[in-house]
Every structure is written in C-alpha cells, then in structure tokens.
Amino acid sequence: MAVTIKDVAKMAKVAPSTVSRVIANNPRISEKTKQKVREAMEQLGYHPNFIARSLASQSTRAIGLIMPSSTDVVFQNPFFPTVLRGLSEGAHERHYALHMTTGKTDDEIYEGVVQMVQGGRVDGVILLYSKVEDKVLAFLKDRDFPFVVIGKPFSDEEEITYVDNNNFRAAKEVTEYLIKLGHKQIAFVGGNLNLTVTVERLLGYEKALRDAGIELVNEYIVHEEFLKEGGQEAVRELISLTKPPTALVVADDLMALGVLNTLDEMGIKVPEDMSIISFNNVLLAEMSRPPLTSVDINIFDLGFESARSLIYRIENPREPVKRIIIPHKIVKRCSCSSPKTEEPQIVS
Amino acid sequence: MAVTIKDVAKMAKVAPSTVSRVIANNPRISEKTKQKVREAMEQLGYHPNFIARSLASQSTRAIGLIMPSSTDVVFQNPFFPTVLRGLSEGAHERHYALHMTTGKTDDEIYEGVVQMVQGGRVDGVILLYSKVEDKVLAFLKDRDFPFVVIGKPFSDEEEITYVDNNNFRAAKEVTEYLIKLGHKQIAFVGGNLNLTVTVERLLGYEKALRDAGIELVNEYIVHEEFLKEGGQEAVRELISLTKPPTALVVADDLMALGVLNTLDEMGIKVPEDMSIISFNNVLLAEMSRPPLTSVDINIFDLGFESARSLIYRIENPREPVKRIIIPHKIVKRCSCSSPKTEEPQIVS
DNA sequence: TTGTACGCGTTATCAT
DNA sequence: ATGATAACGCGTACAA
C-alpha cells in the first residue's frame, strides 16, 4: 500500500488533519510545523490520493471530453489533435485532468456520458462537436451539469455556454472575397448538414450572394461528408452542370484536398479554371498543390478557451452562461484567382 | 446530493451491503430481493459512484494515456486519432475509461504521469510513443506499475510489454521492393532519431541494401522531423547530390507529402523520375497526387491491442510480459516504378 | 441468504 | 495553532 497522510502524520508527530492542512497550505498552521510535515512527506515520498480527495471534497478536478462518433469521418480530421492540444493546455493551467469518452454509435456515446457524469468521474464536460437534436446535450442540460460545447448549439443558444467561431461571417467573407475577384458562379461544397457548423457556413455563403444580387442556384449547393470520396462526388456533379461554377467554397480543408485531386484528374487547373477556398487551415492546407487559401479558425484557441470557460463554470456555478467567439482570419495562398472571361473567347 | 446505495437500501428495506451485492450480481442473493432492489434502483434513478467504488476497491477501471509532447510535430500526425479509436474501443470493450495526460515539455509530461500514477487516478498506462532514454518509462518500470508501450522500447525489451509492428522487416521489404523494381540509388528520409520507430526503419533499409550487395552511401540518409518543412529540406539536399537517388524510402506519409510537393516544385515527376514509398498509410496516402504506395501498419489495431494487453496485465499482474506484433502490408498505389535507364539515353 | 461493522484516504467541522 | 471525529459512498469479512 502506498504511503498515506497518516504515515506522514505519525512521522511528523502531528494529527492527520494537520497534514491535510499543510497540503492545502492553510495559513493557520505555523511555519514550523509546516516545515516538519513537509520534510516527512519528502522522506516518505508521499503523494496525495486523488480518489480519496475526490470523495471527501466532492470534486474530481477532472473534465470529461465527449468525442464525436469514432466511426464518423470527422473523427479523422486533423482538427482533433489540435483542439486536444488547446484543451489540454487550458486544463493543465488550472490543474485539471482530462477524461475521455468515445463510442461508435450515438447510443454508446450517450451511455458513456451518463456513466461518466452520474458516476461522478468528472466535474464538467466539453462537447467536441455540435449537432442537431443531440440527446447528450439534452441530458446535460436537464441535469444542470456544467458543460460547454465547441461550436454553436443547435437550439437554446441563450442558455448554453459555448465557444465557437463566427462561421456565418467567415463564410460570408470568403464568398464576398470570391465575388470581389469577379466570380459570379460560386458553388458551396458542404459537409454533414447535421453539424451546425455546416449550416452556419452555408448560410453565410447564401447571404453574401444575396447581398451581391447574385441568384442562388440549387445545383450549386452540394453536401457530402467531410472527407475524400465525398469531395470527389461533389465535384463531378458540379462540373457536369451545363453552366459549371468558376469558384468553390469548400467547408473543410480535407474535403478541399479531395476536390483538388478530382479536379486534377479531370484536367481542370486551380486556380486558373477554378478557384477554391476552404476552412480550418490545418497543416494540410499549406501542403497541398496549390497551397489552399483557407480560413484560419484558430483551432487551438477553440480548445483552450473551452477548457477555461468550463473550469470557470465549474468554480462559479451561478454565473450566467457566456459565449466566446474565437476570431478567424483568411489566409490567402494560391488557390484563388479571378475567373477567366469566357465570352471574349467565344467572340473572337 | 445524488442518490446513494443507502437510499436504495432504505427503499428496498434491505441493508446497504445487500444492495452492493446486487450490483455486483452476487449469486448468494435471492432472485426475489435482487428484483426488489433493482426496482428501487430504477425508481430512484440510482447510479453507482465510481469514486467511492474506486476508493473501496482500490481500482479505478481507468487507464492513462501518455501522449508525446504536444509541441512535437508528431502530435499533429493523423496517426493519433486512429490509435485513439483503437484504444478507445479496446478499453470500452472491457468497461475501462480513458484518462489523458499531455504536456509541452518532457518534464511537464513526466510530472503529469507521476501525479496520475501516484495519485491513483488510473490502474495502468499506455505510452503512445517510444523514444530513447525515457524518464517516464524508467519511472513506471521502477514503480512496477502496469504499463504497455506502443512501439518498441529502446532498452529492456525483454521486461516490457509492448505492441508494435515489425518495422525493421517492413522497411526491409519496401527497400527490397524498390530494388526489385531496378533501383540501386535508394535514399532514406527519416524522422527524429530519438524515436525507436525511426531507428528500426533505418536499420531495415540498410539491411536490405547490404543483402543486395548495394553500397550504403552516407549522403543518402537524411533525418528530419516528420512534418512538412523537414521533408522539403531533405529532398533539396538529396537532389543536389552529384548522383541523386532514383527512389526514396520515407518514414512517414505526412513527410512524403512534403517530399511530393518539393519534387513537384523542382519539376521532378513521381514516379517517372523518382519513386517514393512511405509508411503508415493514413488517409492522406490515397489523397495525394500521385497516390502513395505506403506500408499499412494497422494503426487501429496497434491501439486496440495495446488497450487489451494493458487490461490483461492489470487483471493478471503476475503473468509474464508479452509483446504483440501487429502485421503490416504494403499497399501499392502509384508512387513507384522502375527507374529510367539513363545510360541508353546518353548513348543515343 | 442477509445484516453489521469497519476500512479505503481525504477533507471539514468542531472542539481545545 | 492543532487535534479528534465525522463524513464521503461503497466493498467486504465476519456474524447471524
């Protein structure tokens, strides 16, 4: 058995409660006994037992991470290692540990969360995704358990603490950027519509077009999963239109990579024949050919601020909910240019 | 306060210990009282408290994951989401939870591990990396704490349970494959030499050349970090040699992607002018242009088996250590071909 | 088959 | 400033 507070107490010739106070650095303990106790701890190699401490203090100093379905393609996104880094750093800063749940199906995930929460394993949780009609979110809200979601909640926005980018605005900006370059036929290649992020980006795209007086055409909006095959399908559909787009707003870098490949296979040059702009600015964005113009959404900060606000919520339960918007920035690389003016060519 | 075992006991008119036994499904409890107790649990919405249970039973049913330094480029590798999936599934299967530690510096990581282990937060840990002279590993071994490492340990191989591929053999095979295609000038682009995986792959490469009677040339072996810029540097160095290689063994897909880009910029065609073969076969391998021939190392299984063997070790402490080798497979795509025979061209 | 009583390692509330 | 003592919620040896 490991060395406990009692062993230390015995060695320092004080009561266990005194040792406990020394650990908490209670000011009512004299410096002399503090020193004595600390020496004993040192000599015995004492380390506090988190479990016992949790039981007594009713707080675990651990936060739970709820991942999206592990079978979901988004799980493969380089997005995750980066949020994780942010989360980890934010938690570490306040001496919180990280606990994880994953699952293949939605039910598995839900069960995991219930276990974790009811079982008292964590003081609060962070939802690493935001989708419509989420059972998990409903559960947490119902139980009034501290949580924050990364991304904009589908509903009850006012009553939920969340950390997000302004995806609507970001999408509007990139679309306006393309319009300014002279594009009029701009398509949107989005991911799963169950994710609120997809919806927000789509809305921003539409708003920009409407503001510019450009008609929305249904065939220009395609939705596929965030990953490879999806991108390819989407592109083929678009290119085969009688009046194909000259520019693409793609909801995710990884998907844009797939798009890039398909275009290459079809002999369509980027950015000469087709402009592409995408989101997230993961490492791949600069490793593609051509390097992608992409919206940097500061993934790390998304994680970092989520951890921070959850911890704040845990430690100040009665404070009002708040939302944090992480700034974004368009990183211009080489995948966008002005459209070729087709008409003159026909005339000549 | 949440509903406890006592509340259930009161409602079912039995002793708390009886409730406890029902939870453990102790056969010495009559079906009748079991039923009665279960009804009470249902009605009250009882959920066992993991913390209390852990304290009493001295087991947390949680396993700790030790990540590499979050500042390290390898952390960004798509490798991680995939091992995580495997780990998660392996743990979930046996109803174990996942706990994480990360850190920026080695010391931060070490501190985190010590806290986690001494604090009794987990029953065992998994090292998600394997490097030389690892303080963390030494600590775990010294404390005789259950752990398994993903990758081959640098030393004390016989006394450590680990899960790995046969990277030596894999590297040997891919090199032989290139040799069989007719290549004689084959270079090796490796990552950080502190990681045992890099060493193993390098050794396999060298062995294949030696077996084939091909002289090893020092300039053909370059070491850079696993990610982008590294790859580019490495390639430039190689190409500027008076007798540049015709084929490259690259230690990681992501790095190969960087290599691909640099070659493209330099106007060198793959596979016509340069063959490339790499490792891991992450999603990106098939998304690159051209799609990469890569060694599939079954990342998921690496995680899955690690979780399994750790749990086995936790539950059977006195069993001998074992090592598990996950099979690999070369996935041939489009980045390798026979070398152009330069001489005839000069003659003609 | 079930109940009693104690222990797991801490923190927290009273005392002194 | 410090020491007893009682929780915290559950498992379990021992008793009945």
Side-chain angles (χ1 to χ4, degrees):
Chain A
M1 209 75 334
V3 26
T4 79
I5 221 173
K6 285 181 193 166
D7 304 321
V8 176
K10 214 164 285 173
M11 175 161 208
K13 295 195 211 312
V14 295
S17 51
T18 303
V19 178
S20 177
R21 289 192 183 98
V22 173
I23 294 170
N25 203 9
N26 189 315
R28 301 189 312 191
I29 300 289
S30 75
E31 272 310 319
K32 222 177 75 191
T33 48
K34 272 190 186 175
Q35 216 39 51
K36 208 170 51 181
V37 169
R38 288 198 179 114
E39 267 169 34
M41 298 200 314
E42 185 78 23
Q43 279 199 24
L44 295 174
Y46 169 80
H47 277 266
N49 182 311
F50 278 107
I51 303 296
R53 177 179 287 183
S54 297
L55 186 59
S57 67
Q58 300 289 71
S59 114
T60 61
R61 282 195 99 80
I63 77 190
L65 265 31
I66 308 175
M67 315 289 282
S69 167
S70 60
T71 61
D72 198 325
V73 278
V74 298
F75 194 84
Q76 299 265 345
N77 207 296
F79 177 87
F80 283 99
T82 311
V83 238
L84 227 58
R85 255 181 59 224
L87 287 164
S88 148
E89 215 154 295
H92 201 257
E93 200 184 62
R94 306 296 314 269
H95 304 286
Y96 272 72
L98 257 34
H99 210 87
M100 267 187 38
T101 55
T102 57
K104 280 174 290 187
T105 67
D106 282 358
D107 278 347
E108 237 180 73
I109 294 174
Y110 181 75
E111 251 330 292
V113 173
V114 172
Q115 293 274 327
M116 186 166 77
V117 170
Q118 309 270 41
R121 280 222 211 236
V122 298
D123 294 342
V125 300
I126 297 178
L127 275 159
L128 292 194
Y129 62 85
S130 172
K131 56 170 204 163
V132 303
E133 306 277 330
D134 190 13
K135 211 171 146 194
V136 171
L137 197 147
F139 166 77
L140 294 168
K141 230 173 120 250
D142 182 60
R143 290 240 350 173
D144 199 30
F145 194 77
F147 73 100
V148 354
V149 0
I150 297 187
K152 188 171 171 180
F154 175 61
S155 58
D156 306 311
E157 203 187 317
E158 305 303 321
E159 309 159 37
I160 293 173
T161 293
Y162 68 91
V163 179
D164 195 14
N165 304 103
N166 192 332
N167 279 303
F168 174 83
R169 200 140 89 87
K172 185 158 165 287
E173 284 171 12
V174 303
T175 311
E176 282 164 353
Y177 170 64
L178 291 172
I179 293 172
K180 208 172 291 169
L181 282 177
H183 292 279
K184 292 202 166 58
Q185 292 132 252
I186 305 174
F188 179 86
V189 182
N192 191 330
L193 263 181
N194 286 329
L195 299 176
T196 58
V197 57
T198 308
V199 178
E200 288 298 309
R201 288 176 184 170
L202 174 58
L203 291 174
Y205 154 85
E206 293 182 342
K207 180 76 162 75
L209 292 187
R210 233 180 272 113
D211 283 2
I214 299 177
E215 202 186 353
L216 293 178
V217 357
N218 270 334
E219 289 72 23
Y220 278 5
I221 300 176
V222 293
H223 285 289
E224 303 284 340
E225 289 306 324
F226 267 73
L227 283 197
K228 191 214 163 196
E229 306 82 5
Q232 306 213 346
E233 262 320 297
V235 175
R236 291 230 163 74
E237 287 174 30
L238 285 172
I239 299 301
S240 61
L241 291 175
T242 48
K243 197 172 182 181
T246 60
L248 263 35
V249 175
V250 184
D252 183 272
D253 287 335
L254 217 47
M255 199 161 172
L257 208 61
V259 170
L260 234 37
N261 285 340
T262 311
L263 290 176
D264 187 63
E265 281 171 24
M266 301 177 82
I268 297 172
K269 295 258 174 300
V270 175
E272 295 83 352
D273 303 328
M274 180 73 81
S275 289
I276 294 185
I277 194 161
S278 63
F279 287 83
N280 290 12
N281 193 36
V282 295
L283 220 111
L284 270 52
E286 49 176 317
M287 299 182 67
S288 68
R289 288 194 310 271
L292 286 167
T293 292
S294 180
V295 180
D296 189 337
I297 59 171
N298 288 306
I299 302 177
F300 177 91
D301 290 345
L302 235 31
F304 189 77
E305 292 301 334
S306 300
R308 280 199 155 184
S309 20
L310 176 60
I311 293 171
Y312 184 82
R313 256 193 99 48
I314 290 170
E315 296 176 353
N316 310 73
R318 286 299 138 224
E319 294 284 304
V321 302
K322 57 178 179 179
R323 56 174 202 173
I324 295 177
I325 301 300
I326 305 294
H328 60 265
K329 195 177 86 211
I330 301 183
V331 177
K332 292 177 189 169
R333 295 205 182 82
C334 317
S335 61
C336 293
S337 72
S338 292
K340 285 198 235 179
T341 47
E342 302 262 339
E343 288 76 8
Q345 298 182 340
I346 298 172
V347 170
S348 72
Chain B
M1 210 76 334
V3 26
T4 80
I5 222 174
K6 284 184 194 164
D7 304 321
V8 176
K10 214 164 286 175
M11 177 163 208
K13 294 197 211 310
V14 294
S17 55
T18 303
V19 178
S20 177
R21 291 191 181 99
V22 172
I23 294 170
N25 203 11
N26 188 317
R28 302 189 313 192
I29 301 289
S30 74
E31 271 310 320
K32 221 177 78 190
T33 49
K34 272 190 187 174
Q35 216 39 51
K36 207 170 52 181
V37 170
R38 289 199 177 114
E39 265 169 35
M41 297 199 316
E42 184 78 22
Q43 279 198 25
L44 295 173
Y46 169 80
H47 277 266
N49 182 312
F50 278 106
I51 303 296
R53 177 179 287 186
S54 298
L55 188 58
S57 66
Q58 299 289 70
S59 114
T60 61
R61 282 196 97 80
I63 77 190
L65 266 30
I66 308 176
M67 314 289 282
S69 166
S70 61
T71 61
D72 197 325
V73 279
V74 299
F75 195 84
Q76 299 264 345
N77 206 296
F79 177 87
F80 282 99
T82 310
V83 237
L84 227 58
R85 255 181 58 224
L87 287 164
S88 147
E89 215 155 293
H92 202 257
E93 199 185 63
R94 305 295 315 268
H95 305 287
Y96 273 71
L98 258 32
H99 211 86
M100 267 187 38
T101 54
T102 57
K104 280 174 290 186
T105 67
D106 283 357
D107 278 348
E108 237 180 74
I109 294 174
Y110 181 75
E111 251 331 292
V113 174
V114 173
Q115 294 273 327
M116 186 166 77
V117 170
Q118 310 270 40
R121 281 222 210 235
V122 297
D123 294 342
V125 301
I126 296 178
L127 275 159
L128 292 194
Y129 63 86
S130 171
K131 59 169 201 164
V132 303
E133 307 277 327
D134 191 12
K135 210 171 146 194
V136 171
L137 197 147
F139 166 77
L140 295 169
K141 228 172 122 252
D142 183 60
R143 290 241 348 173
D144 199 28
F145 193 77
F147 74 100
V148 353
V149 1
I150 297 187
K152 187 173 172 178
F154 173 62
S155 59
D156 306 311
E157 204 187 314
E158 304 304 319
E159 309 159 37
I160 294 174
T161 293
Y162 67 91
V163 178
D164 194 14
N165 304 102
N166 191 332
N167 279 303
F168 174 82
R169 199 140 90 87
K172 186 159 163 288
E173 284 170 13
V174 303
T175 311
E176 283 164 353
Y177 170 65
L178 290 172
I179 293 172
K180 206 172 291 170
L181 282 177
H183 293 279
K184 292 202 167 56
Q185 291 132 252
I186 305 173
F188 179 86
V189 183
N192 192 330
L193 263 181
N194 286 328
L195 300 176
T196 59
V197 57
T198 308
V199 178
E200 289 298 309
R201 288 176 184 170
L202 173 58
L203 291 174
Y205 154 84
E206 292 182 342
K207 180 76 163 75
L209 292 187
R210 235 181 271 113
D211 283 2
I214 299 176
E215 202 187 353
L216 293 177
V217 356
N218 269 335
E219 289 72 24
Y220 277 4
I221 300 177
V222 294
H223 285 288
E224 302 284 338
E225 288 306 324
F226 268 73
L227 283 198
K228 193 211 161 196
E229 307 82 4
Q232 306 214 347
E233 264 320 298
V235 174
R236 290 230 164 73
E237 286 173 31
L238 286 172
I239 300 299
S240 61
L241 292 176
T242 48
K243 196 172 181 182
T246 60
L248 263 36
V249 175
V250 184
D252 183 272
D253 286 335
L254 217 47
M255 199 161 172
L257 208 62
V259 170
L260 235 35
N261 285 340
T262 311
L263 290 176
D264 187 64
E265 280 172 24
M266 300 176 82
I268 297 172
K269 294 259 175 298
V270 175
E272 295 83 351
D273 304 327
M274 180 74 81
S275 289
I276 293 184
I277 193 160
S278 63
F279 287 83
N280 291 11
N281 193 35
V282 296
L283 220 111
L284 269 51
E286 51 177 315
M287 299 183 68
S288 68
R289 288 195 308 277
L292 286 168
T293 292
S294 180
V295 180
D296 189 338
I297 59 170
N298 288 306
I299 302 177
F300 177 90
D301 291 345
L302 235 32
F304 188 76
E305 293 300 333
S306 301
R308 280 200 155 185
S309 19
L310 176 61
I311 293 171
Y312 184 81
R313 256 192 99 48
I314 291 171
E315 296 176 353
N316 308 73
R318 286 299 140 224
E319 293 284 305
V321 303
K322 57 178 180 178
R323 57 175 200 170
I324 295 178
I325 301 300
I326 304 293
H328 60 266
K329 196 177 85 211
I330 300 183
V331 177
K332 293 177 188 168
R333 296 206 182 82
C334 317
S335 61
C336 293
S337 72
S338 293
K340 284 199 238 180
T341 46
E342 301 263 338
E343 289 76 7
Q345 297 182 343
I346 299 172
V347 169
S348 73

